[in-house]
Amino acid sequence: MLIGDVARRSGVSARMLRHYEALGLVRPADRTGAGYREYSSDDIRRIFHIESLRSLGLSLREVGRALDDPGFAPGALVEDLARQTRERIAAETELLTRLRRIGAAEPAGWEEVLQVVALLQGLGSESAGRRQRAALSAVDEAPLPVEALVEAALSESDPNVAGALRWALAQLGDGGLVLLAEGLGAPDQEVRERAVRSIAEIATAAATAVLHDALTNQDIVVRRNAALALGARGGAEAVPTLIDMIVEEANDADAADALSALASDPVLADRIAAALVDRLSAEPAARQRLTQALADIPGSTASGALEELAHDADRAVALTATYIRQLRATGGGAR
């Protein structure tokens, strides 16, 4: 079969067939009387083998080794090709994500495109300082797609950068709330914590509703952060979790402060004091913390509890209650 016929049947151009011959991949031994190359059935079969291996991403040099070296083992090469393919897909996916985010920013001109690109590069920088500057600039200079800010906030480990990202998201109001709420169900515990802390800084009714739902989250860290945020917003539903935090010595000082803020509502003050008293059957150290938490809870229920605790069998608890009562008597604590 002449080269033109082979090209038509195989789909490989005559020029490429000559290139294969020059590299020694195909060596048609026969010639016609006029001196033209004549390909045998074995030559054509080898051409199809070459094309099959090329379709896997092998270079022509690797194809030659695969076909001619009896000791050639494909395993390592195939694994290397798979790795290269994964890297290429990851790079293309990153590029697609960047392009989609630039489009979402709706730039009016190339100057804005360049600003968005610079901010996206800043958020992905290895320098914490550069990431922080990008987060702080994301609101005023060239608004970034909220998806990029949320992704950065949920993956950021540097506390200063994380704070800047939470601030930037808070400026967007409910813009990133849906994505952040999805983060509450992430497999990674650190991502869930970053999500709830970001939501806690969004001062909207919708964010408060998400925090309320987070009180039943399976992750105790999410529940605790939600309770602290709700306590600052007057959410009485956070009281049980806040008291649990005091008993369990988990951010107990912050929890006591949140209870104190809630107790500024006279309707809640006695309920909070009664709930604290109900937990006084806990172990000694916890009883001490519960007694201290009563210090800033106004009302007769807290005062009556402290009077009884001043005579408690646990000397440390009794001394703490006595001291608190003295402070309250002199105006140094809640009445």
Side-chain angles (χ1 to χ4, degrees):
M1 189 179 295
L2 299 181
I3 190 169
D5 296 327
V6 173
R8 285 191 294 273
R9 178 167 297 188
S10 66
V12 181
S13 68
R15 181 179 179 181
M16 183 60 72
L17 289 172
R18 294 189 186 95
H19 183 54
Y20 287 171
E21 183 177 353
L23 294 176
L25 289 173
V26 182
R27 304 179 184 86
D30 296 334
R31 296 275 176 169
T32 66
Y36 294 111
R37 300 174 183 81
E38 189 166 17
Y39 290 81
S40 66
S41 58
D42 287 342
D43 293 330
I44 294 172
R45 187 178 302 108
R46 185 176 174 91
I47 290 169
F48 281 114
H49 288 168
I50 292 169
E51 292 303 299
S52 294
L53 292 175
R54 284 188 66 200
S55 72
L56 297 178
L58 273 71
S59 67
L60 290 177
R61 179 181 178 185
E62 291 166 336
V63 168
R65 285 182 56 213
L67 294 177
D68 298 332
D69 183 357
F72 179 78
L77 180 57
V78 169
E79 178 57 33
D80 187 54
L81 288 170
R83 177 188 57 77
Q84 293 177 29
T85 301
R86 288 193 296 269
E87 291 176 352
R88 186 169 62 252
I89 290 173
E92 294 294 331
T93 301
E94 182 179 351
L95 175 59
L96 177 60
T97 299
R98 179 172 296 183
L99 290 170
R100 183 160 47 82
R101 288 175 176 171
I102 292 172
E106 300 181 350
W110 285 111
E111 185 65 29
E112 288 188 15
V113 169
L114 294 174
Q115 287 181 324
V116 173
V117 170
L119 288 174
L120 288 172
Q121 290 174 336
L123 287 180
S125 171
E126 293 184 0
S127 165
R130 188 179 175 194
R131 295 198 303 276
Q132 184 176 19
R133 288 192 295 274
L136 295 173
S137 301
V139 175
D140 298 323
E141 290 188 9
L144 278 175
V146 66
E147 180 182 338
L149 283 173
V150 170
E151 181 180 324
L154 296 184
S155 61
E156 183 57 61
S157 58
D158 184 280
N160 295 321
V161 181
L165 287 165
R166 290 196 298 270
W167 173 84
L169 284 169
Q171 308 315 300
L172 300 177
D174 292 333
L177 189 57
V178 172
L179 293 173
L180 289 170
E182 291 176 1
L184 296 177
D188 190 322
Q189 192 277 328
E190 290 184 351
V191 171
R192 296 194 296 271
E193 181 176 2
R194 291 169 188 148
V196 71
R197 293 187 66 189
S198 295
I199 295 169
E201 296 195 20
I202 300 174
T204 66
T208 301
V210 172
L211 290 169
H212 181 275
D213 292 341
L215 287 175
T216 59
N217 193 283
Q218 293 183 349
D219 186 338
I220 191 171
V221 174
V222 170
R223 297 199 300 271
R224 289 169 176 169
N225 277 278
L228 289 172
L230 286 169
R233 300 182 189 203
E237 66 274 20
V239 169
T241 303
L242 293 171
I243 293 177
D244 285 341
M245 292 171 66
I246 293 172
V247 172
E248 295 159 11
E249 201 174 6
N251 296 99
D252 51 295
D254 292 334
D257 288 342
L259 287 174
S260 176
L262 286 169
S264 62
D265 181 349
V267 175
L268 291 178
D270 284 342
R271 285 172 50 192
I272 293 171
L276 287 167
V277 171
D278 285 344
R279 300 298 298 276
L280 284 171
S281 59
E283 52 91 20
R287 295 182 78 243
Q288 177 87 350
R289 292 190 295 273
L290 289 165
T291 303
Q292 292 169 344
L294 284 166
D296 291 320
I297 308 299
S300 58
T301 302
S303 296
L306 287 167
E307 184 176 354
E308 289 187 18
L309 288 169
H311 305 286
D312 195 86
D314 186 322
R315 179 170 173 77
V317 170
L319 289 174
T320 299
T322 299
Y323 177 68
I324 292 171
R325 291 186 69 210
Q326 291 172 352
L327 285 178
R328 289 163 75 98
T330 59
R335 293 180 180 272

